[in-house]
Amino acid sequence: MSHPRRISTLAGALLAAVVSVTALTSGAAQAQTVEYVALGDSYASGVGTRDYIDDSSCRRSDAAYPSLLADAIGADLTFAACSGAKTGDVLANQLGGLSAGTDLVTITIGGNDTGWTGVVQKCAYPYPWTCWKEIDAAEAFVRDQLPAKLHAVYNAIEDAAPNAEVIVLGYPLLFNGEECNAITRISPGEQAALNDAADLLGDVIGTAALSHGFQYADVRAAFDDHAVCDDTEWINGISYPIAESYHPNKAGQRDGYYEILNDLV
């Protein structure tokens, strides 16, 4: 003969077990959601992809590496990167999404601090204008002033997101020594000098990042054979609107930046 009390007790135990498993499963699912904050400038926001999330001047794109990574790993993305940002802009405007609960931070920053856009524009002026002086000034800035600005940003990230994995992504070399655009004239010598300056920038950014224990994603090798004027360009040449120029296109963001970043996460 069945005992109602035993049945009631067993049913209660089973119900408690189901509730416990459900709670554990729910908690595990929540724990698996990566809280991801993407910081930086136009190379991080996705300028060059010609496809933007909204009409804001930040030009954030679903084709940019932060969006691609967030989709791939199912992360909750706070997309703070903004076109034109310098290190000071990151400190003033982009750190609000960081917290002790942030799991992952990526950042590309430093190029605008050097005045890089203006340097390349000067190099594109027709003969007899040259840009040697501007290149020298940019390199001096990178050596003498940029490290302190990078350390200030990296310190702020460490303070605001002490538990996060931080990955710093650099910049590609833009040129391959060929002249293929009739609108601009950047000589092979100037292209080589610009690439040397970009190498210096990459080395300084990498050294600063590693000194903080961050990972450094150096994209220069990935963009080999994909510079402006290569058969398969991952970087736009001179473009309209002009802001699209000398930035990674969708292939550069996907096959260059995202592929390297995805291997590190």
Side-chain angles (χ1 to χ4, degrees):
M1 180 177 179
S2 300
H3 295 277
R5 185 173 180 180
R6 291 181 183 174
I7 294 174
S8 176
T9 302
L10 178 59
L14 288 172
L15 178 60
V18 169
V19 170
S20 177
V21 169
T22 301
L24 287 172
T25 304
S26 175
Q30 291 177 358
Q32 290 171 359
T33 301
V34 175
E35 296 298 325
Y36 171 26
V37 180
L39 311 173
D41 57 23
S42 54
Y43 274 67
S45 72
V47 172
T49 63
R50 306 178 188 275
D51 184 11
Y52 305 111
I53 296 170
D54 54 41
D55 294 329
S56 77
S57 60
C58 284
R59 296 189 180 92
R60 301 183 183 107
S61 175
D62 284 332
Y65 72 75
S67 298
L68 297 176
L69 181 65
D71 288 345
I73 66 176
D76 181 8
L77 173 63
T78 299
F79 201 169
C82 188
S83 176
K86 299 180 180 180
T87 51
D89 297 308
V90 173
L91 292 172
N93 304 316
Q94 295 188 19
L95 303 182
L98 299 178
S99 72
T102 302
D103 300 302
L104 174 65
V105 178
T106 62
I107 183 168
T108 301
I109 201 67
N112 289 326
D113 290 77
T114 71
W116 188 249
T117 299
V119 175
V120 175
Q121 287 177 348
K122 183 64 182 297
C123 292
Y125 286 176
Y127 183 82
W129 283 279
T130 63
C131 57
W132 305 110
K133 180 176 69 175
E134 286 76 11
I135 293 172
D136 288 344
E139 289 185 330
F141 181 91
V142 170
R143 284 191 301 267
D144 301 334
Q145 299 183 52
L146 185 60
K149 293 179 179 294
L150 293 173
H151 287 306
V153 171
Y154 299 161
N155 284 333
I157 293 172
E158 288 176 319
D159 290 342
N163 301 311
E165 175 185 8
V166 181
I167 303 176
V168 176
L169 297 97
Y171 299 90
L173 306 185
L174 300 180
F175 304 104
N176 69 355
E178 297 180 21
E179 295 181 73
C180 63
N181 195 318
I183 300 175
T184 62
R185 181 217 57 82
I186 303 179
S187 71
E190 288 170 329
Q191 290 185 35
L194 287 167
N195 282 349
D196 287 344
D199 272 329
L200 175 64
L201 176 62
D203 292 343
V204 166
I205 291 173
T207 298
L210 293 172
S211 74
H212 287 261
F214 300 163
Q215 293 195 74
Y216 177 51
D218 189 343
V219 301
R220 286 174 285 184
F223 278 79
D224 283 349
D225 300 322
H226 300 293
V228 175
C229 296
D230 275 321
D231 291 340
T232 304
E233 293 180 328
W234 287 0
I235 301 169
N236 298 328
I238 194 70
S239 304
Y240 181 82
I242 196 68
E244 303 286 334
S245 304
Y246 305 114
H247 283 80
N249 56 28
K250 288 183 178 180
Q253 286 284 345
R254 181 187 65 245
D255 299 326
Y257 276 92
Y258 163 70
E259 288 295 337
I260 290 177
L261 178 59
N262 193 41
D263 287 341
L264 296 177
V265 175

